[in-house]
Amino acid sequence: MTGAPFTALRGQLHEAAAEFAGGADALEEILLGLVDDVDRAVAEPLEIFPVCHHSPASALAMARRLREKQPKVVYLELCEDMTPLLTELRNCRLPVAVQAFASDIDGFPPDWAPLSVVAPITEASAEYQAIAYALDTPGVELVLVDRSSDHVFQWDRRHDHADEPDAREAGGTEPALHGEAVGVEIGDLRPRFTELEEHLLRHGKVRHWSEWWHQYVEVPLGDSDHDTYRQVMFLIGSLFRRLAPGDGDRVRVDEDRERYMWTRMREHLAATGTDPADCLYVCGAFHAASRVDEFGVHGSDGFEISPRTATTWQYGLIPSSNAAIEAQFGLASGSVSIAAAQWTKNLKRTRVKPYRLDGQAGTKNTKKTGPKTAAPTALPEAEAAPPAEDRLSGFLRRPPVLDTLDETELLGWSVDIVRAARRNGYLASTADAIAVFETSILLAGMRDRAKPTPYDFQDAAVTCIEKDSVPGRRDVRRLVDIMMGGDRIGQVGYEALPPLARDVHDRLAPLELNLQQRGVRRALLDMTSRPELRACSDVLWMLRRLLPGGAARPVMGERRLGERSIQESWDLALGTHQRALIELGYEGVSLEQVLEQRLRRTAYGPRATTAEVLAAVEDATLYLGGRRLAEELGHRALDVLAGERTVDGAPEVLRRVRGLLAYYRTSEPVLPPWIESFVRTGYAHYCTLLPTAFRDEDATVGQVAAMLGFLFSMEGLALSLGCDRTQLELAVGQAHPDDPAKTALLWAAQVQLGTLSRAELRARCDELLANPLVVPSYPRYLSGFVHALEPVPGLADVVVEAVSNAFGRLPDAVLLPWLPVLITTLRSSAAELAPLLIREAGRIFPARLAALDSWVPPWHARPAAPPALVTSTAPRGAALLPAHPATCDALAELLGCTEGWTTTGTSSAAGGGVSLLATHPATSEALAELLTAR
């Protein structure tokens, strides 16, 4: 292009290139190409307004231009499918982010889920000015022209290199508000040539790109006219574009976005017949200086927009914050807060009236100031804007305007930061305020600045106030950020919330708390005096299950199977976790629906385990009530159990099944059919896996003990349902473990089955202690015995005896090195069973220390001989029968005995009625021995 306005500038750049480079070369091509890009953008019939994201200078220039031009159509660089959300901005307190969210994806790899795209909006941004103008001015149409959220991921190739450190540079690291969402880079303007950025930062004597932009772009453009602003921004965008490195994927995406936007704008112009002179195109300066063939209203129409995938997208507004924006878009800490302060200062200095949505929360302009006026129909031909002049040459030749020092402002900053530091524990004084004031001026002079910037002041405050340690939660740099405007956190209003979030607030209304406010609120629920709070309790427990841990935290009260608290206390922070609550609304219209969907997704997932499905059954019973979903998930647990070939989840399965059985036995008249089938299937399943698990090195002793616990504790129910105990006996008989712990566990199982006596088990333990080669492995045998308390709790006395014998028989040279191994083994692998062992030891050992010297262990004491029976011919034990014969007469009549009572003489002759005891004493002696033996 050879536009007339920039002919003189081209000549000057040609001479400069010849002088510095010694002739025509790449430098001349770059310099002249910059002017060509500016000339092309300025000459476009559809006015292009280049912006920088969250730039106060761009916002100020946008407000001025909108009041001057009054366009009928505003084209905005934002995802086109987010249009319906913009009207809800008036119900929010900025900053907030427009979000597109998809949890169930179709057309993308499953491991990408969930997909999230956010576009944060602040008041000090040109985008918000354009949105507020278009929405509150009748007759003005706002058209979003950028690629859809679906195309963001269709064109994204960063997921192909997800393992690389910088693969997700647009995704932030701020987990609280934006999470892992991909940020839409509206008006992103930063050099992609690393050497160029380093050069600018070094010669500008600044640390971060945000500081350079504030010093050399924001401040000079703050008072410039419209044409100068546009041409300078076109030049910067063209410079960064031409000096961008050869990142093929990113350049391709940028150019496709430009083709997409110009194609959409031409389609809209053709469909509506709007004059391009009545339109305004708001986009980033990087995209404004485009060189694609589709550029302009007369560009090529060869670009084809690919169809969207079948993914279902949900849309909403989520709270954002200055810190979240800085983290996601790589801005310096505090830069957004400083930009907000600069925006307020610019408005006060220039007296420009900004656009704000009527009723916008958190702004001074919350009331309507007058009737709305429609946009003018068209500019008369005589009032049409004159051709653009070359304002770029004058701006580049003009020396930098030295902003004079505002001592009052700087002094106020110094006093405020000292006051804030004292409130946060720093030992700051008036002398520190003076030092900060003087150091700020000194740093600005060292950096060739007449007036200290907020960044100079921040460095001075850190130098003068911050000592060796930070006494509170915030350091001085953070205090400066707060003083300049703080980490302002937005809030989505009730009207803009999705139906689920509004339903949650409505159902929690009886608590009489402002749950939309950030921070923690304490809720006290007394369901006895206020039965209506039971519904609130149900909602809170579901929120605890669905939201992050800090959103709803119970302080007092619990909910378990068969148990309900009559009083509860909660710490609620729903306002702080508003984003998580909003994203729940993308999954359903009620908490019950979302919870049911999640439980089904967990149970029917490709990697679902039996323990996870049983946990879903328990949650369905706890939070949703009824038996429909619980029975469905219970049958799913049967299918998953039948397909498992490992015993990794056996301990959790045992715990869950025991809890469910205890609940159903106490609350239901009969057991549900699914749990009976589960016990029957589990009995056969674990019997089949038992021999392999004893031999498998990957199966731990705790897992094998849990299998045996399931088999032994469920044995009565399983046998009543048709299982065969022979299967268990065969499985134990086929087990031949090599591990000492599993060997001890096998012995305990044999004792429970009756194939090994307790005396034989004690003898084997004695043999282990007597063998010097086995003594180092004895702690592992003890670990197996302790785990055996899960399936065979009656062996607690044998385990106590085994431990006591080890301490009593082993010498100190063997016991002392062996003792730490025993303690660590028991602590790591059997901590939950130790209380049972300790309780049994407390029952056996003496309670007082003085009795320990004379105490003899029960297993060492000899059993007393049974007392000899004294034979006698006298009647014994039958005196009450003839004295009170009524009982015997009734029993005899019941049994059909008709012989009657024996006379006294006959009874004496026969031995007094107890002759059988004297004649056959073996039965009595055996009974006596059984009663006196241990």
Side-chain angles (χ1 to χ4, degrees):
M1 296 178 64
T2 58
F6 301 98
T7 302
L9 181 59
R10 285 192 178 87
Q12 296 174 9
L13 294 178
H14 176 76
E15 295 175 1
E19 180 179 353
F20 287 102
D25 61 354
L27 177 60
E28 181 180 2
E29 180 182 355
I30 292 176
L31 294 179
L32 297 181
L34 298 178
V35 182
D36 291 340
D37 292 341
V38 175
D39 196 1
R40 183 186 187 190
V42 169
E44 173 58 34
L46 195 160
E47 181 178 335
I48 304 173
F49 195 95
V51 300
C52 177
H53 195 42
H54 305 303
S55 167
S58 295
L60 189 66
M62 173 62 73
R64 285 173 173 165
R65 185 55 180 167
L66 290 173
R67 295 195 180 277
E68 294 173 0
K69 183 179 177 65
Q70 292 287 314
K72 291 182 179 180
V73 179
V74 177
Y75 297 114
L76 182 61
E77 179 194 342
L78 187 62
C79 295
E80 60 182 1
D81 52 338
M82 294 181 175
T83 302
L85 293 174
L86 300 183
T87 58
E88 297 295 339
L89 288 175
R90 67 179 75 253
N91 298 318
C92 305
R93 185 175 67 243
L94 301 179
V96 296
V98 185
Q99 182 185 40
F101 186 88
S103 55
D104 297 329
I105 61 177
D106 185 359
F108 300 105
D111 56 344
W112 288 18
L115 305 179
S116 180
V117 180
V118 297
I121 297 176
T122 62
E123 185 181 359
S125 64
E127 298 83 7
Y128 176 73
Q129 294 299 306
I131 293 171
Y133 163 78
L135 294 183
D136 281 352
T137 306
V140 176
E141 184 179 3
L142 178 64
V143 182
L144 306 185
V145 294
D146 200 0
R147 56 184 174 165
S148 66
S149 304
D150 198 272
H151 287 91
V152 170
F153 289 93
Q154 284 189 36
W155 297 356
D156 194 355
R157 295 295 180 267
R158 289 172 296 187
H159 296 84
D160 298 338
H161 312 284
D163 295 334
E164 298 178 6
D166 299 330
R168 295 293 301 274
E169 60 180 349
T173 58
E174 177 70 17
L177 295 175
H178 293 178
E180 295 298 325
V182 174
V184 178
E185 299 172 350
I186 308 174
D188 177 55
L189 200 58
R190 184 170 181 172
R192 299 181 183 176
F193 190 26
T194 307
E195 287 76 5
L196 173 61
E197 182 174 347
E198 293 177 353
H199 176 82
L200 295 175
L201 297 183
R202 182 173 63 255
H203 287 272
K205 298 181 180 180
V206 294
R207 297 164 301 165
H208 197 276
W209 172 251
S210 300
E211 187 175 355
W212 186 92
W213 181 267
H214 172 85
Q215 177 67 24
Y216 295 99
V217 180
E218 282 291 331
V219 175
L221 289 181
D223 296 322
S224 61
D225 60 87
H226 173 62
D227 290 336
T228 302
Y229 168 83
R230 288 183 68 209
Q231 293 176 22
V232 171
M233 293 294 285
F234 285 144
L235 179 68
I236 295 174
S238 177
L239 175 65
F240 292 166
R241 189 184 190 96
R242 288 183 176 271
L243 295 183
D247 186 351
D249 288 340
R250 187 166 185 180
V251 172
R252 177 187 56 78
V253 171
D254 288 332
E255 293 179 349
D256 284 347
R257 289 180 64 188
E258 293 154 9
R259 296 185 179 99
Y260 194 107
M261 290 187 284
W262 280 110
T263 300
R264 289 303 193 200
M265 285 187 282
R266 284 195 299 271
E267 291 176 354
H268 182 268
L269 291 173
T272 60
T274 307
D275 186 356
D278 296 331
C279 304
L280 188 68
Y281 171 35
V282 182
C283 68
F286 189 88
H287 298 292
S290 175
R291 293 174 290 170
V292 298
D293 295 336
E294 290 79 5
F295 178 87
V297 295
H298 303 297
S300 172
D301 290 327
F303 182 70
E304 295 183 2
I305 298 176
S306 61
R308 301 182 188 179
T309 65
T311 299
T312 301
W313 288 89
Q314 305 287 337
Y315 301 93
L317 296 170
I318 62 173
S320 184
S321 68
N322 295 347
I325 297 172
E326 292 160 0
Q328 188 165 37
F329 294 98
L331 304 176
S333 175
S335 59
V336 178
S337 301
I338 293 174
Q342 185 70 25
W343 162 252
T344 303
K345 184 178 179 181
N346 288 347
L347 293 179
K348 184 178 180 180
R349 185 184 73 254
T350 61
R351 300 183 182 276
V352 173
K353 185 178 180 181
Y355 287 94
R356 293 189 176 98
L357 291 170
D358 288 342
Q360 180 76 64
T363 63
K364 298 179 181 179
N365 188 24
T366 57
K367 296 183 179 180
K368 298 180 181 180
T369 57
K372 299 180 181 178
T373 59
T377 56
L379 288 174
E381 189 67 26
E383 299 179 7
E389 299 178 357
D390 179 11
R391 303 295 181 88
L392 195 56
S393 300
F395 182 84
L396 295 177
R397 289 197 305 264
R398 185 179 64 192
V401 179
L402 298 179
D403 197 358
T404 58
L405 174 63
D406 188 347
E407 293 188 359
T408 303
E409 179 187 56
L410 182 58
L411 185 60
W413 288 356
S414 302
V415 173
D416 290 342
I417 189 59
V418 169
R419 184 184 297 114
R422 290 180 64 86
R423 285 198 301 264
N424 284 269
Y426 288 93
L427 299 178
S429 63
T430 305
D432 293 309
I434 298 173
V436 172
F437 179 87
E438 297 293 341
T439 306
S440 300
I441 300 176
L442 177 62
L443 288 177
M446 295 173 60
R447 296 166 179 173
D448 297 331
R449 293 193 275 269
K451 178 183 178 180
T453 67
Y455 299 95
D456 297 329
F457 172 76
Q458 189 178 58
D459 293 340
V462 172
T463 302
C464 299
I465 298 178
E466 194 162 283
K467 305 301 187 291
D468 295 337
S469 60
V470 178
R473 295 183 303 168
R474 303 183 180 99
D475 57 9
V476 174
R477 190 174 301 278
R478 179 70 184 128
L479 294 178
V480 174
D481 295 343
I482 296 174
M483 190 191 72
M484 291 293 175
D487 183 17
R488 185 174 183 181
I489 300 174
Q491 184 182 46
V492 180
Y494 175 86
E495 294 79 5
L497 291 173
L500 181 144
R502 292 201 299 268
D503 179 62
V504 168
H505 286 287
D506 293 341
R507 295 167 69 176
L508 295 180
L511 297 179
E512 299 177 356
L513 297 175
N514 184 9
L515 297 179
Q516 287 190 278
Q517 187 175 357
R518 293 183 61 86
V520 179
R521 298 290 180 270
R522 176 63 60 87
L524 302 175
L525 286 74
D526 185 0
M527 275 78 76
T528 303
S529 59
R530 298 183 61 187
E532 67 274 12
L533 294 182
R534 293 187 182 276
C536 297
S537 175
D538 296 337
V539 173
L540 293 177
W541 283 108
M542 284 189 285
L543 289 176
R544 179 178 180 267
R545 173 64 172 76
L546 296 171
L547 293 182
R553 185 177 65 86
V555 178
M556 180 184 70
E558 60 181 357
R559 174 162 291 193
R560 294 187 298 182
L561 289 174
E563 297 183 10
R564 295 292 187 273
S565 301
I566 60 175
Q567 290 183 335
E568 294 176 354
S569 176
W570 291 80
D571 280 345
L572 304 178
L574 298 184
T576 305
H577 296 83
Q578 193 179 46
R579 170 180 176 264
L581 181 61
I582 290 173
E583 290 186 349
L584 280 184
Y586 301 155
E587 302 182 42
V589 295
S590 66
L591 289 176
E592 289 80 3
Q593 180 187 4
V594 173
L595 181 56
E596 182 173 342
Q597 289 177 354
R598 289 195 179 183
L599 293 178
R600 290 180 187 275
R601 193 180 305 123
T602 300
Y604 289 93
R607 298 183 180 179
T609 64
T610 306
E612 292 174 347
V613 181
L614 290 176
V617 174
E618 184 175 339
D619 289 343
T621 306
L622 275 177
Y623 304 120
L624 299 179
R627 298 180 57 176
R628 175 188 56 84
L629 181 60
E631 290 182 357
E632 177 186 343
L633 298 180
H635 289 294
R636 170 61 180 169
L638 278 173
D639 299 336
V640 176
L641 178 65
E644 286 185 345
R645 294 296 178 264
T646 63
V647 295
D648 296 341
E652 186 69 12
V653 170
L654 174 62
R655 187 178 69 85
R656 298 283 182 184
V657 170
R658 280 179 174 173
L660 289 170
L661 272 174
Y663 168 74
Y664 287 129
R665 282 170 172 166
T666 56
S667 61
E668 300 287 343
V670 294
L671 291 177
W674 76 265
I675 201 166
E676 293 182 350
S677 300
F678 188 90
V679 172
R680 184 170 56 249
T681 303
Y683 189 86
H685 178 73
Y686 284 135
C687 283
T688 304
L689 295 181
L690 190 61
T692 305
F694 269 109
R695 297 280 298 181
D696 188 3
E697 295 181 356
D698 295 332
T700 64
V701 62
Q703 295 168 355
V704 179
M707 293 175 62
L708 291 173
F710 184 96
L711 294 172
F712 289 147
S713 61
M714 309 289 171
E715 185 177 16
L717 179 59
L719 295 181
S720 67
L721 296 174
C723 294
D724 189 359
R725 195 170 193 264
T726 306
Q727 187 177 7
L728 176 58
E729 295 175 349
L730 291 175
V732 173
Q734 294 173 359
H736 302 287
D738 297 327
D739 183 67
K742 292 181 181 179
T743 301
L745 193 60
L746 177 62
W747 293 346
Q750 292 174 346
V751 171
Q752 179 70 12
L753 292 176
T755 59
L756 183 69
S757 65
R758 299 167 70 92
E760 292 174 337
L761 180 60
R762 288 188 172 93
R764 292 185 181 183
C765 294
D766 292 339
E767 293 176 2
L768 294 177
L769 283 175
N771 189 344
L773 299 178
V774 182
V775 167
S777 301
Y778 196 72
R780 300 178 63 185
Y781 284 96
L782 290 181
S783 176
F785 283 131
V786 174
H787 278 97
L789 298 179
E790 176 71 47
V792 192
L795 283 181
D797 59 331
V798 177
V799 178
V800 172
E801 178 182 347
V803 176
S804 301
N805 287 337
F807 279 87
R809 295 175 54 180
L810 294 178
D812 292 344
V814 177
L815 185 61
L816 293 180
W818 173 76
L819 187 58
V821 179
L822 172 65
I823 296 174
T824 55
T825 302
L826 295 178
R827 177 179 295 178
S828 61
S829 58
E832 67 279 1
L833 298 172
L836 179 61
L837 193 63
I838 296 173
R839 185 164 56 251
E840 181 65 21
R843 187 186 67 83
I844 294 177
F845 286 91
R848 297 185 179 278
L849 183 62
L852 187 61
D853 295 335
S854 58
W855 176 74
V856 178
W859 51 86
H860 288 169
R862 293 182 179 178
L869 293 177
V870 180
T871 60
S872 174
T873 58
R876 298 168 52 198
L880 291 176
L881 293 180
H884 304 280
T887 302
C888 289
D889 291 342
L891 181 59
E893 182 179 358
L894 181 64
L895 296 177
C897 298
T898 59
E899 289 81 0
W901 285 86
T902 305
T903 60
T904 305
T906 307
S907 176
S908 300
V914 291
S915 58
L916 288 178
L917 296 180
T919 307
H920 305 283
T923 302
S924 300
E925 294 175 356
L927 178 61
E929 182 179 359
L930 179 63
L931 294 176
T932 56
R934 280 193 50 84

